Amino acid sequence: MFIILLRFSDNKSQAPRYMEGHNQWVKKGFDDGVFLMAGSLQPNLGGGVLAHNISEIELQNRVDSDPFIKENIVSAEILEIVPAKVNEKLQFLITE
């Protein structure tokens, strides 16, 4: 599984202009069964996404297609986590 940190860049003021495309990108991630969670990094630092069921290369390609990345509104850091122990509700993350 992966954590994607989307940190605002100096071009943050352009975010409203590309928000619809970014929201469509997030929706597609959920529709495709790749994104498990998306939310804001506080205080107003950008966003974060929890992803699974995808290779790192495929995820990088997906992240690169985000309008916020294309327009340098955010920079992305992808962190891979190999779950070793989880709450029973998250057991599916170990058995993938």
Side-chain angles (χ1 to χ4, degrees), residues 8-44:
F8 282 126
S9 69
D10 292 339
N11 204 23
K12 173 183 170 181
S13 65
Q14 295 299 309
R17 187 172 171 191
Y18 298 97
M19 185 61 74
E20 184 177 338
H22 173 71
N23 286 338
Q24 289 174 359
W25 175 82
V26 171
K27 182 182 182 313
K28 181 165 177 36
F30 280 102
D31 290 349
D32 292 345
V34 173
F35 293 170
L36 296 173
M37 183 278 307
S40 298
L41 294 177
Q42 298 302 314
N44 199 25

Side-chain angles (χ1 to χ4, degrees), residues 3 6 9 17 22 42 50 56-57:
I3 295 174
L6 301 170
S9 69
R17 187 172 171 191
H22 173 71
Q42 298 302 314
L50 183 62
E56 188 171 3
I57 292 169

Side-chain angles (χ1 to χ4, degrees), residues 45-62:
L45 298 174
V49 178
L50 183 62
H52 79 127
N53 224 14
I54 192 168
S55 72
E56 188 171 3
I57 292 169
E58 291 170 322
L59 182 59
Q60 184 66 61
N61 290 335
R62 183 179 290 267

Side-chain angles (χ1 to χ4, degrees), residues 28 30 75 81 84 94:
K28 181 165 177 36
F30 280 102
S75 63
I81 297 176
I94 291 181

